[in-house]
Amino acid sequence: MKLKEQINHLIQDAFVKAGIDEKPISVTEATQPQFGDYQFNGAMALAKKLGMNPRQIAQELAGHIELGGIITKTQIAGPGFINLWLNPSWIATACEAAFHDTRLGISKNENPLKVVVDYSGPNMAKQMHVGHLRSTIIGDTLANLLEFLGDEVIRQNHIGDWGTQFGMLIAYLEETGNEGSAQLCDLEQFYKEAKARFDADEAFANKAREYVVKIQSGDQHCLNLWQKFIDSSLGHCEEVYGKLCVKLTREDVKAESFYNEDLPQVIEDLLAQGLLKESDGAQCVFLEGEEIPVIVQKGGGGYLYATTDLAALRYRANVLGAKRICYVVDARQGEHFKQVFQVAKTSHFVPEDVKLEHVAFGTMMDRSGKPFKTRDGGTVKLIDLLEEAVVRAKESIKNKEGMSLEEIDELAKIIGIGAVKYADLSINRESNYIFDWDKMLSLEGNTSLYMQYAYARIQSIFRRFGGEIEANIQISDELEHRLSVMLLRFEEVLLKAAQDAAPNQITTYLYELVGLFMRFYEQNPILKEDVSKELQMSRLALSALVARTIKEGLEILGIEVVNKI
RNA sequence: GCGUUCGUAGCUCAGCUGGAUAGAGCACUCGCCUUCUAAGCGAGCGGUCUCAGGUUCGAAUCCUGACGGACGUACCA
């Protein structure tokens, strides 16, 4: 249900009827319940433009707003606000329609857009740490969201599997043989040991350097070892993805090395277009208005990540056919993407109509507000964080009666992992954020547990009721009115969140929805004796809609629900 | 130095396509379980929206400047 859009149509009609040849600004949700459900604030600006009295214009417009359908009442307030009240019977009918629709009345994009979402992108030389959390879950949420709205999503995991440190790791893998394979289960440790060997033993260091060259020239033995290493490392990532309920699979992996063959061609094509310029021995693209050039080939002939990104961009645009490409990457790389996108467009590697977006997110800070250091042993491994989350969730499960040990474990997993993901998804992605165990693993307030709890409460009612729910909704009070309108807003919230690539808009919505539901639950009895059959059925149907909205919303965020808590 | 970005309650954060008395959670105080799951609900406390100008009928939101933090600033990714 595109609620706001429908109201905007009515306003537009009123404009036409009033003979005003302007495009009205969109209505917004009322700031206070006393001001109705929606408000139109465009009269003041319009008055200015037409040189008229704002209240008079508001009066004129309000007089032309069609009543009886969606809107039941209008009111002029303040300097010229037009407050709008929605028609309860119309709301009820709309909710009933949503009830009968498997997609809650949310339409699918009729012209699906092919979208590439690039996210996670772990480095194969290292274990995933908390710094990878945001890209992984924001990206997955964005992909889920676009998929739900009907777009054709292509997930891309641009893993870092190429570079000088691999020579060292592979040399060490070979040296340790099968024993080394076993040690790979702790990548961090493996890396440290390899580094220690590299620093201590000159012969080993030379061998490592040789290996880099050999891999790059296609030596089969070295490539086999390299492949073995990558497989193992990727296995670690998949373990994390599994725990996180992130949908990335091997199919989505397009590693850096995948683009190797195209790199010389990228340089050649740039050269052919006269975009390259040598500077201090390196091949550069100098962009207008940019002081610092984009270096695409080192003085020694090696390629850089800008080169790989250009190759990846044109692969995605031309081979995959994407019309929107989203890079869910740390905000610190903003300058890099700005430049690479510009090169991709000026070189026509990527057609003009393809939207390139850097879905940036903030830097992680420690508790004192300083940047989270990853070098000084301050790294928190992602796998450890997730395990800790599950342990904490398990400790907090109070009512263990009636639940088997397996059920408790399962519940702890869902609550704990949900808490971690929700904590991250619910803050504005662009701002920096504080990494704090207590905050992240908290189960109070605006957390996933709040939504899961509401969901479980509703399921509990359904179990008690046991019958078939018929959607025959009647809005019996102010609270039910607001709850229903909130339910109908879901589609537009999702659309806006997709457009802005902002998961926190979804969490904010869910929190408001559930907040309303909790009050409704406390105040409006459902299965009590003195509740009429009609009212009972109506409230059951509203509860069912709330439950399904929570479930769908959390599913997009990659968080599960449970029937019992 | 230059650039990007942020600065909202004691803490963590929403709100930022300009709109009516700036919202939550945590913490603190006080109510509510013989009644559908109290991991909940209600009430209270708490703010010169960093500061100074400007635009506007109207600014937390837009513009300029200052201060403070974070990040980036050519051969790492």
Side-chain angles (χ1 to χ4, degrees), chain A residues 256-297:
Chain A
E256 277 183 305
S257 61
F258 174 82
Y259 303 100
N260 280 347
E261 285 180 20
D262 192 37
L263 301 183
Q265 194 63 47
V266 167
I267 302 299
E268 218 169 283
D269 292 345
L270 289 172
L271 186 65
Q273 295 190 50
L275 290 168
L276 284 190
K277 204 171 169 184
E278 195 181 309
S279 176
D280 290 338
Q283 294 299 325
C284 307
V285 179
F286 284 86
L287 294 163
E288 243 178 274
E290 294 277 343
E291 285 191 25
I292 295 148
V294 182
I295 300 177
V296 290
Q297 190 170 24

Side-chain angles (χ1 to χ4, degrees), chain A residues 127-130 188 372-382:
Chain A
Q127 194 127 344
M128 287 182 84
H129 57 85
V130 281
E188 215 64 22
F372 202 89
K373 295 277 190 272
T374 48
R375 285 180 190 170
D376 318 316
T379 305
V380 176
K381 284 188 227 163
L382 201 38

Side-chain angles (χ1 to χ4, degrees), chain A residues 39-245:
Chain A
Q39 56 183 205
F40 177 71
N41 301 334
M44 282 82 83
L46 203 58
K48 176 87 178 170
K49 202 166 178 180
L50 304 177
M52 291 169 73
N53 179 309
R55 277 192 75 102
Q56 212 169 358
I57 289 215
Q59 199 70 56
E60 174 73 12
L61 281 172
H64 285 102
I65 293 173
E66 182 196 320
L67 297 181
I70 301 178
I71 295 168
T72 188
K73 185 180 136 193
T74 64
Q75 178 198 62
I76 314 298
F81 297 104
I82 302 178
N83 296 332
L84 308 165
W85 276 261
L86 300 187
N87 184 350
S89 71
W90 185 87
I91 295 169
T93 308
C95 283
E96 284 166 13
F99 183 93
H100 291 297
D101 185 63
T102 50
R103 291 176 53 83
L104 292 161
I106 297 167
S107 54
K108 274 197 162 185
N109 192 348
E110 282 173 23
N111 305 302
L113 202 65
K114 206 176 245 190
V115 186
V116 160
V117 183
D118 177 313
Y119 66 105
S120 196
N123 188 328
M124 292 295 106
K126 294 178 199 152
Q127 194 127 344
M128 287 182 84
H129 57 85
V130 281
H132 296 109
L133 186 63
R134 300 207 85 187
S135 174
T136 304
I137 65 182
I138 291 172
D140 203 53
T141 294
L142 181 59
N144 292 340
L145 175 60
L146 294 171
E147 242 162 23
F148 180 71
L149 292 173
D151 286 332
E152 191 185 330
V153 175
I154 305 169
R155 290 172 157 82
Q156 292 281 281
N157 193 358
H158 191 80
I159 63 169
D161 67 342
W162 209 246
T164 47
Q165 74 267 57
F166 287 95
M168 178 182 88
L169 292 165
I170 292 157
Y172 189 61
L173 180 63
E174 184 181 52
E175 188 174 273
T176 51
N178 284 334
E179 196 190 322
S181 305
Q183 282 177 16
L184 273 180
C185 63
D186 190 343
L187 256 180
E188 215 64 22
Q189 189 57 29
F190 189 85
Y191 185 92
K192 269 185 203 158
E193 286 174 19
K195 185 76 166 59
R197 286 285 287 128
F198 187 88
D199 291 338
D201 186 340
E202 191 59 32
F204 178 86
N206 284 332
K207 197 171 183 184
R209 290 190 194 101
E210 273 170 38
Y211 273 29
V212 177
V213 179
K214 278 187 174 177
I215 300 164
Q216 293 184 346
S217 60
D219 177 274
Q220 204 51 53
H221 172 68
C222 288
L223 278 178
N224 287 345
L225 282 167
W226 169 77
Q227 191 60 52
K228 192 172 161 190
F229 182 84
I230 299 302
D231 280 345
S232 169
S233 183
L234 200 50
H236 286 285
C237 296
E238 283 167 342
E239 191 188 342
V240 171
Y241 295 156
K243 277 202 182 354
L244 272 176
C245 298

Side-chain angles (χ1 to χ4, degrees), chain A residues 551-565:
Chain A
K551 186 167 192 248
E552 189 56 60
L554 288 183
E555 202 163 296
I556 287 167
L557 300 174
I559 296 170
E560 295 175 87
V561 291
V562 282
N563 292 326
K564 235 198 261 184
I565 286 181

Side-chain angles (χ1 to χ4, degrees), chain A residues 435-456:
Chain A
F435 178 78
D436 180 341
W437 284 96
D438 293 329
K439 175 89 203 305
M440 183 160 272
L441 303 181
S442 155
L443 296 172
E444 283 175 6
N446 183 11
T447 64
S448 56
L449 181 64
Y450 186 64
M451 321 300 153
Q452 288 164 329
Y453 181 58
Y455 184 86

